[in-house]
Amino acid sequence: MNFNDLHELLRLELLRRIERGSLTGTRLAQQAGFQQAHISNFLNHKRSLSLEGLDRVLASQHLDIEHILPLDLTAAAAPIPTSDPIEIVPVVSPSAAMDEPRISPSAIIETIQVSASRLHDNRARPSTRNVHWQRFLAIRADTRQSAAMDPLVAPGAIAVLDRHYNSLAPYRAHQPTLYAVRCGAALLLRFVDFDEGRLILRPYSRDFPVQLLALATHESPADYIVGRVCLVFSEL
């Protein structure tokens, strides 16, 4: 996570608030003490903020850095303290992540070691269908998945999924939640909203389109939400 990444996370949060009607560019400029043109250029990728400017915008919206981080970004090589028990998490194919309640040994591609406390400190909101499914597993993001969420998910990164979080209730207030979502035969990593019977799948990269999934009358968002992305391990 570098300064440019932080800029993009803040920009995404501000645009989300503007889209939902809780903020306008004019009000943001007034609250942060900037000219409206300066804020407009920032929101439209035409200029960046200084570190001081970034602090002013965060303060004006009562935001801290942790409020705009959408997930826990962790280097794969980070050592696990010996005092903290570890848990073995299987890395599986997207189809196994979507369809297999219990992961058989033959479905495991590789395994990773994760601090047990980092896993089980996660809050659960399982759907009725998933409540007895194996909770934690991981997938390795392919080029298409990572490109849509660049720079949050790098190519080849391992995304740990909590399959006991199938709710659209925000995991953290004022912060988008990253989900693994079933889209036909594909498993996509996206921010998700729900409106008028449709799931709205939002990429992080502006180079990818927003996708709409229409739900049948008997379906719910939980039928498509495979789980919440609770950890991402990227090689340095």
Side-chain angles (χ1 to χ4, degrees):
M1 179 68 63
N2 58 33
F3 190 65
N4 289 332
D5 296 338
L6 187 58
H7 262 81
E8 289 306 306
L9 289 171
L10 178 58
R11 196 192 321 267
L12 178 69
E13 173 61 20
L14 295 173
L15 290 172
R16 184 182 69 84
R17 293 186 177 196
I18 291 171
E19 182 178 337
R20 292 186 176 182
S22 61
L23 184 67
T24 65
T26 300
R27 189 184 310 140
L28 175 61
Q30 292 171 345
Q31 292 172 339
F34 285 108
Q35 295 293 324
Q36 185 174 352
H38 190 102
I39 288 297
S40 177
N41 286 335
F42 168 64
L43 294 174
N44 288 287
H45 292 268
K46 294 181 180 179
R47 68 178 302 166
S48 298
L49 298 174
S50 65
L51 183 58
E52 178 187 357
L54 193 73
D55 286 339
R56 285 164 58 184
V57 172
L58 287 168
S60 74
Q61 300 305 305
H62 307 289
L63 288 169
D64 292 323
I65 297 299
E66 58 267 24
H67 292 150
I68 62 173
L69 292 176
L71 60 155
D72 191 352
L73 298 171
T74 311
I80 298 173
T82 56
S83 59
D84 191 355
I86 63 170
E87 191 159 317
I88 304 300
V89 175
V91 180
V92 302
S93 67
S95 60
M98 289 188 288
D99 298 322
E100 298 297 328
R102 309 297 302 180
I103 302 302
S104 65
S106 61
I108 298 175
I109 300 171
E110 56 185 306
T111 61
I112 57 172
Q113 296 183 2
V114 183
S115 161
S117 63
R118 297 188 73 181
L119 290 177
H120 296 287
D121 283 347
N122 289 285
R123 300 191 306 278
R125 283 180 175 263
S127 64
T128 302
R129 173 176 178 264
N130 281 42
V131 68
H132 297 300
W133 284 38
Q134 184 172 336
R135 183 174 181 182
F136 295 105
L137 49 74
I139 62 166
R140 189 175 285 277
D142 61 24
T143 303
R144 183 179 179 185
Q145 289 167 331
S146 62
M149 298 308 298
D150 181 63
L152 300 181
V153 181
I158 293 176
V160 179
L161 311 184
D162 181 355
R163 297 199 299 176
H164 285 188
Y165 202 98
N166 314 106
S167 169
L168 284 178
Y171 189 78
R172 295 184 177 90
H174 311 301
Q175 183 175 323
T177 303
L178 182 58
Y179 294 96
V181 186
R182 180 192 302 271
C183 184
L187 182 65
L188 304 181
L189 304 181
R190 296 290 191 275
F191 302 125
V192 182
D193 291 315
F194 181 67
D195 185 52
E196 296 184 351
R198 298 177 300 180
L199 282 179
I200 305 169
L201 309 184
R202 302 185 187 278
Y204 184 71
S205 171
R206 290 178 176 272
D207 294 332
F208 282 73
V210 171
Q211 294 171 265
L212 302 178
L213 286 180
L215 273 59
T217 55
H218 64 279
E219 293 179 322
S220 72
D223 294 325
Y224 291 84
I225 295 175
V226 175
R228 182 178 72 90
V229 178
C230 59
L231 292 168
V232 172
F233 291 91
S234 298
E235 295 182 356
L236 296 177

